[in-house]
Structures are given as structure tokens and as C-alpha cells.
Amino acid sequence: MYYTSFNSYLKNRYKGRIQKISIDAGFTCPNRDGTKASGGCTFCNNVAFSPYAMTKKTVQNQIEKSIEFYKKRYKSIKGFLAYFQAYTNTYAPVDKLKDLYDKALEYEEIIGISIGTRPDTVPDEVLDLIATYTVEKPEIWIEYGLQTANPKTLRNINRAHGVAEFIDAVLRTKKRPHIKICAHLIVGLPGDEYEDYIESAKLIASLPIDGIKIHPLHIVKHTVMEKQYKNGEINLLSMEEYAKIVADMFEYLPKDIIVHRLTGEAPEEELIAPSWCSPKKKQGVLKQIQDAFKAKRATQKLVIV
Ligand code: SF4
């Protein structure tokens, strides 16, 4: 089996390093402000929603600082991808979104944008706007958080959207075929079992999805899950269990899916558990996943993000 990491996909396509630049454009989330629900997803760090935590820097300022930094660090850099990462990056009127996306795409070095959002926050007019960018820029991605295909778990983690909304968002997005879609899954959510991870992989495989990010559940401070974990209500996976599940999920995912991420971590000062989700352990987790693939007699080495 052979899997393509997002980095290697970009490197092959653009013949050099493409650097992702994370942007906080000052969005909030409809799952926090009462529009969809209140309180947010139970794994989401509430402190991050304090208005004081929102960036005061403009999109241009963040992009220019990052371009300067990465150009000094990597001499062979070929371009940049602006990643609208923080919160729900389609949660604003279309003219406001256009203004923010335009600001990122006006730089020649920016080859595209990646927009992280919820599947219930992408009306057709927003998709139409995003599709206009595909005419001039080659990498226009939307990243949809699904997290799990188990509707009961979605309710329990206060996700405030269902599986059907995810399917609807993907199908409506692909009516604009040049927009690429990345789906996010979390492995280890309370209530989910092995069959749910496989079901999630099968759902992704059944839809026109170009890329995937898989994270292990990790508990961070100032979340509902922090309290649940401390009350003994949540059992976390071991690194070995996680790696094996990920390897099993890939038996069902399309061979050409682009792997944006296979693990996730939080800064040590924010992380409650498990300790293997700290940045220092990332390479160890990826090695464990490689070993899990080898144990399944993968015929080719997994290329890891
Ligand atoms: S995880 Fe995403 S959808 Fe959930 S509360 Fe946080 S920003 Fe909103």
C-alpha cells in the first residue's frame, strides 16, 4: 500500500517546498455563540474563545511575517498556502469572507488557501465565492470537521451537527469540482468503538473527498472533557491502540487520498492527557503508526506528513 502525505503531494506538484501558513482571521464559532448551540464541542478549548485570545493582527500582517520567517528558514521554498485555521472560517457574511480571502490570495507567492470550517456553515453562496478562486489559484481546499460517523457520539460531544449535514456539505462542495475537500476525524471519542472508526473510514471512502486528517483524542485544559476526564468518565487510547486503529482504517480509505495529518498534539502547558500527544512525542507516534502498517504487511512504506 502507498499513501501520499500532503507535503509530498505539494512537493511533487510544485517541485519544491510549499509552506502552510496558519491564520487567525478573527472568526468565532456558531457552536459557541448560541446560533447552533452553546458551550462548543466538549473537546474544544473554551479559553480560546475569549475575545482577548483573538488575534489583533491583520491577515496581511500574519502572512507577511510568516513569509519573511519561512523564506529565511528554507532557502528552497516555492510558495505558500494560507490556512484559515482558527474557529469556523466561513462564519461571516459573504462580502466579509471575500475581503478576508482576497487579502490572503493577493500575494503572488500564495498558491491557494485552505479553509477550516463546520459542515453546517457553508451556504451555497459561500461555496460559489470559494469556487471563484479556483480559476487563478491551484490549491483551494475546504476542511470539514466530521470527527466521527456515529451520530450518538456527535450528540454527546455537543457537536451540534449530524452526519447528514457533513454528507450534504461534501456533495454541494463537489458541485464546484475544483474545490478540494479534506475531512477531519478524531479517534477515541467517548462512546465510539472500533466499529465506529471503521464506519467513519468507510463513509469518507464513499464520498468525493480528496484528503484526510486523523487525530487521536487528547484532553486539553479549559474544556468540558477536562472535567469528564478528571471525573473518570473518559478512557483514552494508548499510542499502540491508536496506531493499530489508524492502520486498520486505511484498509478502507481510497488509495489516492492525501494524508494531511495522522496524529495531533497540544502544547505541554495545555495538554492534560495522554502524554504521548505532546509535540515531543510526535515522531514516536508516527513511527508507531508506521510499525502498525508494517505489521499489516504493507508492501510500501507509508509517507508521513
Ligand atoms: S471544535 Fe470547531 S466547531 Fe467545535 S466549538 Fe470548537 S471551533 Fe466550534
Side-chain angles (χ1 to χ4, degrees):
M1 288 185 284
Y2 181 78
Y3 301 101
T4 306
S5 74
F6 191 46
N7 282 348
S8 60
Y9 156 78
L10 292 171
K11 199 170 177 185
N12 287 341
R13 191 160 183 205
Y14 300 98
K15 310 295 174 219
R17 183 184 182 92
I18 300 294
Q19 182 66 46
K20 222 172 173 181
I21 298 173
S22 286
I23 293 171
D24 180 346
F27 289 99
T28 177
C29 174
N31 197 20
R32 291 278 310 151
D33 68 7
T35 302
K36 299 285 178 183
S38 299
C41 307
T42 55
F43 57 82
C44 186
N45 180 341
N46 293 348
V47 166
F49 289 93
S50 153
Y52 302 107
M54 299 275 184
T55 183
K56 297 281 185 289
K57 291 180 186 159
T58 65
V59 167
Q60 293 104 316
N61 188 278
Q62 293 173 66
I63 286 177
E64 284 165 20
K65 281 229 148 50
S66 296
I67 288 179
E68 192 188 338
F69 172 81
Y70 285 116
K71 273 190 171 168
K72 274 188 199 145
R73 189 163 175 187
Y74 302 111
K75 297 286 171 241
S76 62
I77 216 144
K78 286 277 181 176
F80 299 87
L81 187 77
Y83 179 25
F84 286 80
Q85 180 175 21
Y87 322 112
T88 299
N89 291 276
T90 53
Y91 187 41
V94 176
D95 53 347
K96 166 90 172 153
L97 294 175
K98 182 174 184 328
D99 182 53
L100 290 168
Y101 303 155
D102 282 358
K103 280 183 173 132
L105 288 164
E106 73 189 15
Y107 297 86
E108 205 181 322
E109 299 107 310
I110 299 278
I111 62 160
I113 51 177
S114 194
I115 301 165
T117 192
R118 293 167 55 86
D120 60 356
T121 314
V122 280
D124 280 335
E125 58 266 31
V126 170
L127 292 173
D128 287 340
L129 167 70
I130 295 168
T132 62
Y133 299 119
T134 62
V135 176
E136 292 197 356
K137 298 281 184 172
E139 295 295 332
I140 303 296
W141 287 80
I142 296 188
E143 302 194 18
Y144 289 129
L146 170 63
Q147 317 312 356
T148 173
N150 180 336
K152 197 171 167 205
T153 304
L154 289 175
R155 280 195 297 279
N156 287 343
I157 62 170
N158 195 37
R159 195 59 203 162
H161 70 71
V163 177
E165 281 161 306
F166 173 78
I167 294 169
D168 171 64
V170 169
L171 296 180
R172 282 190 299 108
T173 303
K174 274 297 168 183
K175 287 185 184 161
R176 293 101 178 148
H178 299 296
I179 301 177
K180 299 183 180 80
I181 300 172
C182 176
H184 295 198
L185 294 176
I186 298 176
V187 169
L189 287 168
D192 269 4
E193 296 180 2
Y194 180 81
E195 291 71 26
D196 298 303
Y197 310 131
I198 301 304
E199 187 69 12
S200 297
K202 287 179 179 173
L203 176 68
I204 300 296
S206 72
L207 292 168
I209 288 175
D210 307 277
I212 189 159
K213 277 186 184 175
I214 306 178
H215 287 194
L217 177 66
H218 50 285
I219 313 291
V220 295
K221 289 181 181 168
H222 312 295
T223 61
V224 174
M225 278 196 183
E226 178 184 8
K227 293 189 193 90
Q228 293 172 332
Y229 178 71
K230 288 181 174 168
N231 288 339
E233 295 165 38
I234 295 179
N235 292 318
L236 295 170
L237 295 170
S238 69
M239 182 169 40
E240 293 76 13
E241 287 168 330
Y242 175 72
K244 185 173 178 318
I245 291 166
V246 169
D248 287 354
M249 287 168 75
F250 269 83
E251 284 192 15
Y252 299 91
L253 289 167
K255 302 293 174 238
D256 59 351
I257 201 161
I258 298 167
V259 180
H260 290 233
R261 252 186 177 277
L262 280 184
T263 187
E265 56 282 331
E268 278 176 16
E269 62 276 15
E270 287 294 319
L271 183 67
I272 303 281
S275 58
W276 57 270
C277 284
S278 84
K280 279 187 200 149
K281 303 277 174 66
K282 179 178 176 180
Q283 291 311 317
V285 179
L286 294 175
K287 164 87 171 47
Q288 189 81 42
I289 295 169
Q290 281 203 339
D291 288 348
F293 273 95
K294 279 184 200 146
K296 293 175 74 67
R297 300 191 190 158
T299 53
Q300 283 179 284
K301 201 178 165 197
L302 175 64
V303 180
I304 288 180
V305 177

mmCIF file of all heavy atoms in Angstrom, residues 5 13 46 54 81 92 99 129 158 169 195 198 202 225 232:
data_model
loop_
_atom_site.group_PDB
_atom_site.id
_atom_site.type_symbol
_atom_site.label_atom_id
_atom_site.label_comp_id
_atom_site.label_asym_id
_atom_site.label_seq_id
_atom_site.Cartn_x
_atom_site.Cartn_y
_atom_site.Cartn_z
ATOM 1 N N SER A 5 1.472 11.809 1.572
ATOM 2 C CA SER A 5 1.290 12.876 2.550
ATOM 3 C C SER A 5 1.004 14.181 1.807
ATOM 4 O O SER A 5 1.357 14.338 0.631
ATOM 5 C CB SER A 5 2.533 13.037 3.417
ATOM 6 O OG SER A 5 3.552 13.663 2.676
ATOM 7 N N ARG A 13 3.942 18.262 -6.907
ATOM 8 C CA ARG A 13 3.180 19.104 -7.836
ATOM 9 C C ARG A 13 3.900 20.416 -8.143
ATOM 10 O O ARG A 13 3.808 20.929 -9.253
ATOM 11 C CB ARG A 13 1.802 19.381 -7.226
ATOM 12 C CG ARG A 13 0.864 20.012 -8.204
ATOM 13 C CD ARG A 13 -0.586 19.881 -7.841
ATOM 14 N NE ARG A 13 -1.360 20.467 -8.923
ATOM 15 C CZ ARG A 13 -2.570 20.963 -8.808
ATOM 16 N NH1 ARG A 13 -3.182 20.900 -7.657
ATOM 17 N NH2 ARG A 13 -3.187 21.493 -9.837
ATOM 18 N N ASN A 46 -12.272 26.272 25.573
ATOM 19 C CA ASN A 46 -13.125 27.464 25.687
ATOM 20 C C ASN A 46 -12.338 28.751 25.823
ATOM 21 O O ASN A 46 -12.770 29.802 25.371
ATOM 22 C CB ASN A 46 -14.049 27.336 26.903
ATOM 23 C CG ASN A 46 -15.052 26.231 26.722
ATOM 24 O OD1 ASN A 46 -15.202 25.718 25.616
ATOM 25 N ND2 ASN A 46 -15.720 25.857 27.776
ATOM 26 N N MET A 54 -8.416 36.284 20.678
ATOM 27 C CA MET A 54 -8.475 36.521 19.229
ATOM 28 C C MET A 54 -7.317 37.424 18.811
ATOM 29 O O MET A 54 -6.957 38.347 19.518
ATOM 30 C CB MET A 54 -9.782 37.226 18.872
ATOM 31 C CG MET A 54 -10.989 36.412 19.225
ATOM 32 S SD MET A 54 -11.388 35.274 17.940
ATOM 33 C CE MET A 54 -12.883 34.570 18.587
ATOM 34 N N LEU A 81 0.795 28.275 1.304
ATOM 35 C CA LEU A 81 -0.652 28.018 1.328
ATOM 36 C C LEU A 81 -1.201 28.672 2.593
ATOM 37 O O LEU A 81 -0.721 28.381 3.697
ATOM 38 C CB LEU A 81 -0.896 26.508 1.377
ATOM 39 C CG LEU A 81 -2.331 26.046 1.249
ATOM 40 C CD1 LEU A 81 -2.798 26.122 -0.206
ATOM 41 C CD2 LEU A 81 -2.462 24.601 1.735
ATOM 42 N N ALA A 92 -19.325 34.117 8.483
ATOM 43 C CA ALA A 92 -19.403 35.577 8.310
ATOM 44 C C ALA A 92 -20.172 35.829 7.017
ATOM 45 O O ALA A 92 -20.295 34.928 6.167
ATOM 46 C CB ALA A 92 -18.009 36.186 8.235
ATOM 47 N N ASP A 99 -13.521 39.627 1.406
ATOM 48 C CA ASP A 99 -12.474 40.575 1.784
ATOM 49 C C ASP A 99 -11.287 39.837 2.439
ATOM 50 O O ASP A 99 -10.129 40.069 2.084
ATOM 51 C CB ASP A 99 -13.084 41.604 2.744
ATOM 52 C CG ASP A 99 -12.074 42.655 3.140
ATOM 53 O OD1 ASP A 99 -11.482 43.249 2.228
ATOM 54 O OD2 ASP A 99 -11.876 42.863 4.352
ATOM 55 N N LEU A 129 -18.464 31.601 -3.888
ATOM 56 C CA LEU A 129 -17.330 32.525 -3.717
ATOM 57 C C LEU A 129 -16.007 31.749 -3.745
ATOM 58 O O LEU A 129 -15.073 32.111 -4.482
ATOM 59 C CB LEU A 129 -17.464 33.279 -2.381
ATOM 60 C CG LEU A 129 -16.200 34.029 -1.940
ATOM 61 C CD1 LEU A 129 -15.940 35.230 -2.848
ATOM 62 C CD2 LEU A 129 -16.291 34.466 -0.475
ATOM 63 N N ASN A 158 -21.588 17.340 21.879
ATOM 64 C CA ASN A 158 -22.194 18.650 21.589
ATOM 65 C C ASN A 158 -21.672 19.248 20.288
ATOM 66 O O ASN A 158 -21.370 20.429 20.196
ATOM 67 C CB ASN A 158 -21.932 19.636 22.741
ATOM 68 C CG ASN A 158 -22.837 20.852 22.648
ATOM 69 O OD1 ASN A 158 -24.001 20.751 22.267
ATOM 70 N ND2 ASN A 158 -22.302 22.015 22.979
ATOM 71 N N ALA A 169 -22.777 18.785 2.857
ATOM 72 C CA ALA A 169 -21.739 19.797 2.587
ATOM 73 C C ALA A 169 -20.743 19.293 1.549
ATOM 74 O O ALA A 169 -20.341 20.020 0.630
ATOM 75 C CB ALA A 169 -21.016 20.163 3.887
ATOM 76 N N GLU A 195 -15.746 -0.353 15.704
ATOM 77 C CA GLU A 195 -16.616 -0.362 14.518
ATOM 78 C C GLU A 195 -16.918 1.061 14.035
ATOM 79 O O GLU A 195 -17.127 1.296 12.849
ATOM 80 C CB GLU A 195 -17.949 -1.070 14.822
ATOM 81 C CG GLU A 195 -17.849 -2.570 15.041
ATOM 82 C CD GLU A 195 -17.165 -2.946 16.348
ATOM 83 O OE1 GLU A 195 -17.207 -2.138 17.295
ATOM 84 O OE2 GLU A 195 -16.560 -4.040 16.398
ATOM 85 N N ILE A 198 -14.046 2.329 11.845
ATOM 86 C CA ILE A 198 -14.096 1.718 10.512
ATOM 87 C C ILE A 198 -15.264 2.310 9.715
ATOM 88 O O ILE A 198 -15.148 2.603 8.520
ATOM 89 C CB ILE A 198 -14.237 0.172 10.631
ATOM 90 C CG1 ILE A 198 -13.041 -0.405 11.416
ATOM 91 C CG2 ILE A 198 -14.366 -0.477 9.255
ATOM 92 C CD1 ILE A 198 -11.673 -0.083 10.863
ATOM 93 N N LYS A 202 -15.148 4.214 6.163
ATOM 94 C CA LYS A 202 -15.990 3.791 5.030
ATOM 95 C C LYS A 202 -16.827 4.955 4.506
ATOM 96 O O LYS A 202 -17.037 5.095 3.300
ATOM 97 C CB LYS A 202 -16.916 2.643 5.448
ATOM 98 C CG LYS A 202 -16.195 1.306 5.620
ATOM 99 C CD LYS A 202 -17.208 0.250 6.056
ATOM 100 C CE LYS A 202 -16.567 -1.108 6.215
ATOM 101 N NZ LYS A 202 -17.505 -2.078 6.798
ATOM 102 N N MET A 225 -14.389 18.282 28.467
ATOM 103 C CA MET A 225 -13.746 16.968 28.608
ATOM 104 C C MET A 225 -12.709 16.937 29.729
ATOM 105 O O MET A 225 -12.438 15.873 30.277
ATOM 106 C CB MET A 225 -13.104 16.540 27.293
ATOM 107 C CG MET A 225 -14.103 15.929 26.337
ATOM 108 S SD MET A 225 -13.276 15.039 25.039
ATOM 109 C CE MET A 225 -14.686 14.549 24.059
ATOM 110 N N GLY A 232 -13.226 10.647 35.769
ATOM 111 C CA GLY A 232 -13.101 9.239 35.376
ATOM 112 C C GLY A 232 -14.108 8.803 34.328
ATOM 113 O O GLY A 232 -14.379 7.614 34.161
#
